[in-house]
Structures are given as C-alpha cells and as structure tokens.
Amino acid sequence: MELNVKRVIYHILDTGASEPLLSDRETDLDADLTEYFTVCLEKAFSADDSRSCEFLPDSAFAQELAANQDFIDLSRRIAGVIFEQMLQYPAIPAGDLAVVDFTANSVPYLGVLKLCYKPGYTHQTRTLGNARYSGMTPQRTLLPGTPKAEEAVLIDLATNKIRLIEKKYEMDGKKDVYLSTRVFGCGQALPEKAKLKAVCESAAAAVRQAYPEPETLDDVPPFDGGTETAVDLMVHNQAVDNTIAVEDVRARMRESYPLAAPAFEQALAEAGVAEDDHVTVSPARMRKMASRSFRTESGIEIKIPAELCNSDEAVEFIHSATGGLSLLIKDVLV
C-alpha cells in the first residue's frame, strides 16, 4: 500500500486539565514525523483487531463530514467530542489526537489516530549548592516511542467506508466501546482477525465433514499435513497485498472441494461474513499461515512450510493403525 501523508494537525487530550489543548494550525512535518505517522497508518490498516464499518443513516459525524470542508475546524470538533467522552468516562485513557489528511493508493482518506500516554521515567539534573545532582523523574504523559495508535479511525473519503480500531472501557457499569457508538456513529462489524478465523475454521469444518477420509480420494488436494494445513494454505494463496477476497476463497472451495462448498457458504453466512467481503491479514499472520508446526509428546517441535506438507517429495506423513502420526523428512542436509 502506498501512503502519502499530506498534512497533520495535533491536539492534546489530557484529562488532567478541564479542557483540551486544541491546535489552530497544522503540524510542521519533517521526514521523521512523516515516517512516524505513515507507519502508524500502515499498522492501523493491517491490524488484526481492525474492523470494516460504515456510517449509520443517523450519524451526526457523517453529516458534519459532508458539510465541513475545513480540515482544521473538523479536527477540532472531533477532538472536542472525544474529550467530552474522556471526561465523562475516566476509564478512557488520556492521550494526544492526530488528525491526518492522507492518501492510500491515491484514494483520499481522513485518519484519526489516538496516541495514548505511556507512563515512564526520564532523567533530571539539578544543581544543589556546588554539586550537580542527576536523578530520575516519573513522566505520566509520554507518547508511544514505537509508531502505533491504540485507537484509530481511517475514513475512505471516496466511499465513506471506515477502518476502525477501538477498545472497550468501563462505561456506565460495563465494558463498552465509544468511538463507533458515541463519536462517529458507525455500525459494528467483525474484526479482521475474527473474519479470517471464521473463513478458515468454516472451510476446515466443511471439508472434514464432506471428506471424512480424504487420503482415499483422488479428486481433492492431498491432506497429509492435516485438514487445517490444506485449508490455511488454500486461503493464504488467495491473498493479494495482504488482503483476501472472500469470493476468491468461495470460488476455490467450489473448484477444489465441491462437496464442502455448500456447507462452507452456509457457515460463512451464519458467522456474519458477507460474500463480497474482504479480509485484511497482518504480515505476521500471513507468515504464520505459510508454515505449520508439529510437536511430539517429548517436546520436539518442527516447522514446515505449508506447501511442503502436501508434497511427498519433501515430507511424508505415516498414519499408524492406532491413529498416531509419524513424520518422515526427506533429503536432510547435515
């Protein structure tokens, strides 16, 4: 994904004060700050806990977004509403708010990044008489050194589609979210991690049911590494730029495992995954799906690339009469 940060405005939302410190002008961006916010946005797009959402019909923010073309004023209004929620619900952590005007693959976006404070220490030097004294002093409002927003809202200005990361906090006696419901007015959806899990688990369950003894069949891909290995590899291979189109997986299921396709599609519908949905997969999870780990009772663990699990030339799975499984690794170099 090609990201281009055009401008940023920065507001301080410290609930230790009675009101937020709102900026009247955009932040001066140098190369380091541009890189910081670019990485924040990249991580927000690919985060496992992000959700794809849409504005509800009665969203006050959607109406404000359509009517207010003043970037600075709009950012101040967003910061003010979030600060009101922070004052009302002390469990919401204090932090700074960066509102970003940027493009992703040439598509215009508005990004809202909540950078929550991290407690820590810094050094302090004083002069006592003729002596110099150095010590440590606690800091309550340190910003994340690693570029990552605890909460983020990324709005596609061309379609009003939203990528949302939010946390639950104690509110009115229960754990609840506030960005989607109380600030931006958008509907909830499954997190990307949950959608991916639903796709993989639904596919594996449907295949196991349709092909209870797949090693005896010639018209489906081999299963020697286990049903989950075969399905994960199939899903993994549909990824383009860390995004998996559910329709591509459905098409591959109909092609490779035709008997399992109806049950798979029914399970997806029950899980709330739409036919035209897209699942964003983090690079770390993509790497995890690309390999399979096997552990013996004695604690020996072997990691094998998933595509090799179905290759008799590289490894061979030997099934015993008692249901056990042995692994023969071929062409070992020592």
Side-chain angles (χ1 to χ4, degrees):
M1 177 177 291
E2 182 180 351
L3 295 177
N4 178 28
V5 175
K6 299 166 65 177
R7 50 183 174 166
V8 177
I9 188 165
Y10 202 80
H11 305 295
I12 298 175
L13 308 183
D14 186 355
T15 47
S18 59
E19 59 184 31
L21 182 58
L22 303 180
S23 298
D24 297 315
R25 62 185 299 272
E26 298 166 16
T27 301
D28 293 327
L29 292 174
D30 58 17
D32 289 338
L33 280 178
T34 300
E35 177 67 13
Y36 184 93
F37 289 118
T38 299
V39 174
C40 278
L41 293 168
E42 289 174 344
K43 289 183 177 180
F45 269 111
S46 63
D48 279 341
D49 55 350
S50 66
R51 301 170 185 263
S52 297
C53 307
E54 296 182 0
F55 289 119
L56 297 173
D58 60 349
S59 170
F61 176 79
Q63 298 174 18
E64 176 77 19
L65 180 65
N68 192 345
Q69 303 302 311
D70 187 325
F71 174 68
I72 294 177
D73 182 64
L74 180 63
S75 75
R76 288 169 60 93
R77 290 177 179 271
I78 295 171
V81 174
I82 291 177
F83 191 76
E84 289 176 0
Q85 295 298 314
M86 293 166 60
L87 288 180
Q88 184 175 356
Y89 301 106
I92 301 175
D96 292 350
L97 195 75
V99 181
V100 188
D101 176 15
F102 72 101
T103 60
N105 294 336
S106 300
V107 177
Y109 272 84
L110 181 72
V112 181
L113 306 173
K114 176 106 178 296
L115 305 174
C116 297
Y117 297 145
K118 305 290 185 182
Y121 291 86
T122 188
H123 61 261
Q124 182 183 49
T125 301
R126 293 181 295 168
T127 300
L128 301 174
N130 295 326
R132 179 173 295 171
Y133 165 78
S134 295
M136 295 173 62
T137 182
Q139 294 289 319
R140 187 179 61 84
T141 57
L142 293 176
L143 291 168
T146 302
K148 183 179 181 181
E150 291 290 326
E151 298 180 287
V153 183
L154 311 176
I155 305 170
D156 182 334
L157 297 178
T159 64
N160 274 354
K161 300 285 187 180
I162 304 165
R163 176 80 66 187
L164 175 70
I165 301 174
E166 62 180 344
K167 308 293 183 183
K168 289 186 176 183
Y169 302 105
E170 190 71 25
M171 303 170 66
D172 298 327
K174 64 178 182 179
K175 291 276 190 177
D176 204 355
V177 296
Y178 72 99
L179 284 179
S180 59
T181 57
R182 301 168 184 264
V183 179
F184 293 96
C186 51
Q188 301 245 357
L190 283 174
E192 298 302 288
K193 180 179 179 180
K195 283 197 291 187
L196 178 63
K197 182 178 180 181
V199 170
C200 291
E201 290 187 352
S202 298
V207 169
R208 280 196 302 268
Q209 181 180 6
Y211 303 95
E213 298 179 357
E215 67 275 3
T216 65
L217 303 177
D218 297 326
D219 58 343
V220 298
F223 279 68
D224 279 345
T227 304
E228 288 76 9
T229 299
V231 168
D232 281 1
L233 182 60
M234 181 194 71
V235 174
H236 174 275
N237 288 341
Q238 309 314 307
V240 178
D241 293 332
N242 284 33
T243 300
I244 296 172
V246 174
E247 177 53 37
D248 290 345
V249 179
R250 294 173 66 243
R252 184 53 59 88
M253 282 288 290
R254 290 193 293 266
E255 175 187 339
S256 301
Y257 309 109
L259 299 181
F264 170 65
E265 296 182 2
Q266 180 179 349
L268 281 187
E270 293 173 354
V273 179
E275 295 180 2
D276 60 349
D277 217 337
H278 288 74
V279 184
T280 301
V281 188
S282 67
R285 193 161 295 277
M286 287 293 294
R287 290 192 296 271
K288 184 176 180 181
M289 292 176 67
S291 64
R292 207 70 178 173
S293 293
F294 300 90
R295 185 188 298 271
T296 69
E297 291 183 357
S298 59
I300 299 174
E301 184 173 3
I302 301 173
K303 181 178 290 187
I304 302 174
E307 65 269 15
L308 296 183
C309 289
N310 294 327
S311 171
D312 289 339
E313 297 180 359
V315 295
E316 183 177 345
F317 293 88
I318 304 170
H319 300 265
S320 69
T322 59
L325 182 68
S326 296
L327 175 64
L328 175 61
I329 302 176
K330 303 179 181 180
D331 297 325
V332 176
L333 300 178
V334 295

